[in-house]
Amino acid sequence: MINLMLLLFLVVIAIAAIQAKDLLNSIMYLSVYSLFMALVWTELNAVDVAFTEAAVGAGVSGVFMIAALTRMNRFESSRERTGLGKYFPMAVVAVTAAMLFYATVDMPAYMDPEAPIHKHVAPYYIEHSEHETGSVNIVTSVLASYRGFDTLGETSVVFTAAISVILLLRRRDKNEK
Amino acid sequence: MKNDVILRTVARCMVPFILLFAFYVQAHGEISPGGGFQAGVIFASAFILIALAVGKEKAREKFKQKISDFTCSLGLMIYAGIGFITILFGGLFLEYGKLPFGSAEKGNHLGMIGIELGVGIAVASVMVTIFFEIARKEDD
């Protein structure tokens, strides 16, 4: 029930974010969207993901977008599509949504313990991670130990982002050097 | 916005607690939700709050450009460095069990803490760098 309400809220906020002409409002809506997404993750018992969503999605990324907004025009330019082209984005969205709905038919029931995802490596992690890594939090032991390569890649991606921003945006004026 | 007394006062009260919470999330990564990534983001958000409250120039003095450029690379280097150290001790890349702490379990545990620290340092300085570079043009 609460899940359904949260998901309904997400849809409403997403539509509001698209409809807002003031980009600052759009950014606010996106931050609120992330906050509700964090609640959905919590409801699904994915607390680590919820934590990240709340800190990054609802917090820092909104600030980054507002900071980027100081470099550009705050209001969206009103460029209307004409003729049949007007309905093209709607058609793309509708077809994608139809495909996604079709895909959910094959999915196992929510919280089904017999679902394939609970039969693969998850039992191994639940059974062995504590005495193999000494960490009670299975998510952390998977991220840092069993899937350490992925996290190294993730950290490299974040590092690359900083390097790109420095290369593109750092001023090299004589008076600032 | 810079001269708002309420914002400045609230920021002054909040920053120590935000930093403390960041350290808590970093240290408790393996027994509760959280870890290096989240801790880094929370740590950086404290500096972003200072920048919003008292201005970018003053906030940049607290976390200087030279230092954040250095710690960006330092975090990634700690992570990859631990991987290479395990090779030196005869293991595979990032096989923490081979670290010289006695047992494999102990090596795994301390290796994980080490790489979480690397992730935390890298993410914190990357977020600070991105914010200060993007929002540089004019002061608020």
Side-chain angles (χ1 to χ4, degrees):
Chain A
M1 185 63 203
I2 188 153
N3 229 335
L4 198 71
M5 270 173 64
L6 285 173
L7 292 175
L8 204 70
F9 244 84
L10 282 179
V11 173
V12 172
I13 296 165
I15 292 170
I18 297 168
Q19 288 297 320
K21 284 275 177 267
D22 186 344
L23 288 178
L24 192 62
N25 289 1
S26 275
I27 294 168
M28 293 299 169
Y29 283 128
L30 285 180
S31 289
V32 176
Y33 183 91
S34 281
L35 200 61
F36 275 94
M37 206 62 215
L39 289 177
V40 173
W41 296 127
T42 318
E43 213 278 330
L44 293 171
N45 279 331
V47 222
D48 281 87
V49 186
F51 204 158
T52 316
E53 181 81 47
V56 179
V60 171
S61 76
V63 176
F64 283 174
M65 283 194 272
I66 292 173
L69 207 59
T70 60
R71 289 175 172 263
M72 52 187 265
N73 200 350
R74 185 173 155 178
F75 292 95
E76 202 175 350
S77 62
S78 52
R79 187 167 49 88
E80 291 286 319
R81 287 168 182 268
T82 48
L84 274 177
K86 207 168 155 184
Y87 301 103
F88 182 66
M90 190 70 195
V92 171
V93 170
V95 170
T96 313
M99 285 196 291
L100 288 174
F101 275 117
Y102 178 69
T104 56
V105 176
D106 273 350
M107 269 170 65
Y110 178 49
M111 291 175 110
D112 177 12
E114 299 297 314
I117 190 146
H118 301 309
K119 294 276 169 190
H120 187 46
V121 285
Y124 178 85
Y125 290 150
I126 292 169
E127 216 170 298
H128 296 95
S129 79
E130 193 180 339
H131 75 89
E132 274 186 357
T133 65
S135 162
V136 192
N137 186 352
I138 298 171
V139 177
T140 306
S141 67
V142 170
L143 278 179
S145 187
Y146 294 110
R147 295 283 180 270
F149 276 38
D150 294 14
T151 312
L152 179 61
E154 178 202 285
T155 314
S156 319
V157 167
V158 172
F159 177 70
T160 315
I163 297 298
S164 323
V165 166
I166 289 172
L167 281 176
L168 289 171
L169 298 177
R170 182 165 289 175
R171 297 239 181 101
R172 284 188 193 75
D173 304 342
K174 277 170 207 148
N175 50 357
E176 256 192 85
K177 244 178 185 175
Chain B
M1 200 155 90
K2 253 199 298 183
N3 296 317
D4 192 319
V5 68
I6 298 174
L7 189 62
R8 256 189 297 136
T9 315
V10 171
R12 192 174 296 153
C13 298
M14 291 287 287
V15 164
F17 292 104
I18 295 176
L19 291 177
L20 190 67
F21 185 59
F23 288 124
Y24 165 80
V25 171
Q26 173 82 52
H28 280 237
E30 60 261 33
I31 46 175
S32 65
F37 194 87
Q38 290 93 330
V41 172
I42 294 169
F43 191 85
S45 71
F47 288 95
I48 293 173
L49 181 64
I50 298 174
L52 293 177
V54 299
K56 268 165 286 187
E57 303 304 320
K58 274 186 183 167
R60 203 50 164 150
E61 281 168 24
K62 304 260 191 287
F63 200 160
K64 287 213 175 63
Q65 185 175 305
K66 268 183 190 165
I67 296 172
S68 73
D69 283 1
F70 175 70
T71 48
C72 262
S73 328
L74 180 75
L76 191 59
M77 208 190 77
I78 290 175
Y79 197 145
I82 287 174
F84 282 111
I85 289 169
T86 57
I87 293 181
L88 287 182
F89 284 102
L92 302 169
F93 186 64
L94 289 175
E95 191 185 350
Y96 316 123
K98 288 283 197 291
L99 288 172
F101 293 114
S103 65
E105 192 190 327
K106 197 133 196 198
N108 265 325
H109 191 63
L110 291 167
M112 271 172 59
I113 292 176
I115 66 131
E116 286 283 347
L117 190 68
V119 173
I121 292 171
V123 169
S125 30
V126 165
M127 294 296 163
V128 167
T129 306
I130 292 178
F131 175 76
F132 281 105
E133 294 304 333
I134 287 182
R136 201 163 188 181
K137 199 171 150 199
E138 67 266 293
D139 219 326
D140 290 319

